[in-house]
Amino acid sequence: MPQNTPAMLVLADGTVFSGTSIGAAGHTVGEVVFNTAMTGYQEILTDPSYTEQIVTLTYPHIGNTGVNSEDVESGKVYAAGLIIRDLPLLTSSWRCEESLSDYLAANNVVAIADIDTRKLTRILRENGAQAGCIMAAGPASGSSLAASTPDMPLAGMAGEVDEAKALQLARAFPGLAGMDLAKVVSCDQPYEWTEGEWDLAEGYSKAADPEFNVVAFDYGVKRNILRMLAARGCKVTVLPAQATAEQALALKPDGIFLSNGPGDPEPCDYAIDAIAKLVDSGIPTYGICLGHQLLALASGAKTVKMKFGHHGANHPVQDLDDKRVFITSQNHGFAVDAATLPVNVRATHVSLFDGSLQGIARTDKPAFSFQGHPEASPGPHEMSYLFDRFIDLMKTKGEK
């Protein structure tokens, strides 16, 4: 990567940040959000939930440990772009296989450094998440969905950055409200997941002998979620987002898992319909993130677009049942409206940042969900007990 290659971030409100390109040449557009995690940038970049979003990392030094082939949550980078304050010149980790800058360029991700991320974060906090465009100068190579549009292909992006064009592109981004992305990022065909959790000495383990048959709906699932299910004795069959309830029931599952994912949950009518039928069947059901929102919608509640969402690994959440407080990993721009919960759905967790709803449970069926990311990739491990709760529900159902 040539040093001091100019790049520019332009927000839809006209705010301009000039910086340095640390990834691919070209441009990218998306909803600009900020994430307060101090570590885990590789897991963040490869989280499908960040589809159509440009991620601002508030921690100033990003890239210190480079990247490796193990710390990924999917098969590719899903974040539309990356914004950071400082990219260290050197990486230092025994697990490092590649620098962050080389990784971004190899994956055709447009990214910018050397801007005031504190100022940008204040703008997003005060005015809400908004559309933006990162434009990076230099000769382009290849093309990607994230870094090209019909009116301005990546291959035509050699030369200087164009502020007026970047503003035009930012303002043309339609926003995530009403955007169904779950079916876009989902797998095409069913598959079985057999990999267990990571160990310092051995790497990723083989799954434990299966005791439970779990069907997982892939709305943009993170790999560590599947690993945690497999490590707890689950045979995991992953189905595409648009799979029907009948297809899931044909596999005779002991439990149903609803994954995380990007976009607005309300347009996912195919998922809402399938979940309603599966929950009514009495099969234990567990949802995370988008899966949480979809379970709520299938149960009769409503969702809302948040001002700037929750993104980070330091969010305090209270379990309303025992009043314990947990530090959690979060990544969502939509939330379930607690005021719309029907009588057969109770709140189980709330955010101590803003009081927003973080967990629900059905009172008439063995179904529950959590808004944050209890698989802790990246983030604290404190919420992993929710996976054990899912296992307990399946055990109880089996004993009956």
Side-chain angles (χ1 to χ4, degrees):
M1 171 63 61
Q3 297 297 310
N4 301 319
T5 302
M8 179 179 294
L9 167 67
V10 180
L11 301 181
D13 66 5
T15 304
V16 178
F17 294 87
S18 296
T20 304
S21 172
I22 58 169
H27 76 270
T28 186
V29 295
E31 180 183 78
V32 182
V33 299
F34 63 90
N35 186 304
T36 56
M38 296 175 65
T39 61
Y41 50 81
Q42 193 174 352
E43 293 94 332
I44 290 167
L45 287 168
T46 55
D47 180 352
S49 296
Y50 279 115
T51 300
E52 300 288 352
Q53 291 186 312
I54 298 173
V55 183
T56 305
L57 296 177
T58 61
Y59 187 69
H61 304 293
I62 299 297
N64 306 58
T65 56
V67 299
N68 62 70
S69 57
E70 292 184 319
D71 293 346
V72 294
E73 284 300 320
S74 65
K76 68 175 186 176
V77 174
Y78 277 92
L82 179 66
I83 303 167
I84 66 172
R85 173 66 186 90
D86 176 66
L87 179 71
L89 294 177
L90 298 175
T91 58
S92 179
S93 171
W94 64 275
R95 300 177 66 226
C96 176
E97 299 171 4
E98 190 177 18
S99 73
L100 175 59
S101 183
D102 288 343
Y103 179 73
L104 292 169
N107 285 274
N108 211 19
V109 179
V110 180
I112 186 171
D114 299 326
I115 74 166
D116 188 347
T117 51
R118 292 176 299 177
K119 177 181 177 180
L120 174 58
T121 300
R122 285 196 297 269
I123 290 172
L124 299 177
R125 280 185 58 86
E126 293 170 5
N127 303 327
Q130 61 176 295
C133 173
I134 305 175
M135 190 174 287
S141 61
S143 62
S144 75
L145 177 64
S148 64
T149 60
D151 64 329
M152 188 174 178
L154 182 61
M157 198 28 237
E160 298 298 319
V161 295
D162 185 334
E163 180 181 327
K165 184 63 177 179
L167 179 60
Q168 175 189 344
L169 291 167
R171 289 179 173 172
F173 183 71
L176 295 184
M179 191 177 288
D180 176 3
L181 295 175
K183 63 185 179 185
V184 175
V185 302
S186 182
C187 60
D188 295 325
Q189 298 293 330
Y191 65 93
E192 287 192 13
W193 182 267
T194 58
E195 187 176 73
E197 295 182 84
W198 192 80
D199 176 78
L200 181 62
E202 304 294 335
Y204 289 114
S205 63
K206 291 186 178 180
D209 293 335
E211 182 180 355
F212 305 101
N213 181 21
V214 171
V215 169
F217 279 81
D218 176 15
Y219 307 124
V221 69
K222 296 171 70 176
R223 290 176 175 175
N224 210 48
I225 291 174
L226 301 178
R227 294 184 187 113
M228 293 184 77
L229 289 171
R232 286 166 170 77
C234 297
K235 174 190 174 184
V236 182
T237 303
V238 183
L239 296 185
Q242 293 179 281
T244 64
E246 290 72 22
Q247 288 172 312
L249 291 172
L251 297 172
K252 301 186 183 306
D254 300 307
I256 300 292
F257 175 75
L258 313 172
S259 86
N260 63 293
D264 189 339
E266 288 194 357
C268 302
D269 51 358
Y270 51 89
I272 296 168
D273 178 67
I275 294 166
K277 293 177 181 177
L278 291 167
V279 171
D280 284 346
S281 74
I283 298 174
T285 302
Y286 172 33
I288 289 176
C289 192
L290 182 66
H292 157 76
Q293 298 160 11
L294 292 172
L295 175 63
L297 289 168
S299 300
K302 295 182 179 180
T303 55
V304 294
K305 181 77 166 68
M306 303 177 76
K307 183 177 180 180
F308 49 80
H310 290 166
H311 311 276
N314 55 356
H315 289 240
V317 167
Q318 185 174 47
D319 187 322
L320 296 177
D321 291 336
D322 58 20
K323 308 305 179 185
R324 290 183 298 170
V325 176
F326 301 87
I327 302 302
T328 70
S329 182
Q330 301 277 329
N331 176 21
H332 60 105
F334 293 82
V336 177
D337 184 352
T340 67
L341 293 181
V343 294
N344 62 337
V345 179
R346 67 182 183 90
T348 59
H349 297 79
V350 296
S351 166
L352 296 186
F353 273 162
D354 58 12
S356 60
L357 187 63
Q358 282 282 318
I360 61 171
R362 288 281 294 261
T363 58
D364 57 339
K365 299 290 182 179
F368 72 101
S369 58
F370 183 67
Q371 178 62 81
H373 283 268
E375 84 287 348
S377 190
H381 294 254
E382 299 180 17
M383 296 301 298
S384 61
Y385 71 90
L386 293 179
F387 286 89
D388 300 324
R389 181 175 295 176
F390 181 47
I391 299 299
D392 290 341
L393 279 181
M394 290 189 286
K395 285 181 178 179
T396 302
K397 180 71 174 179
E399 291 170 357
K400 292 181 179 178

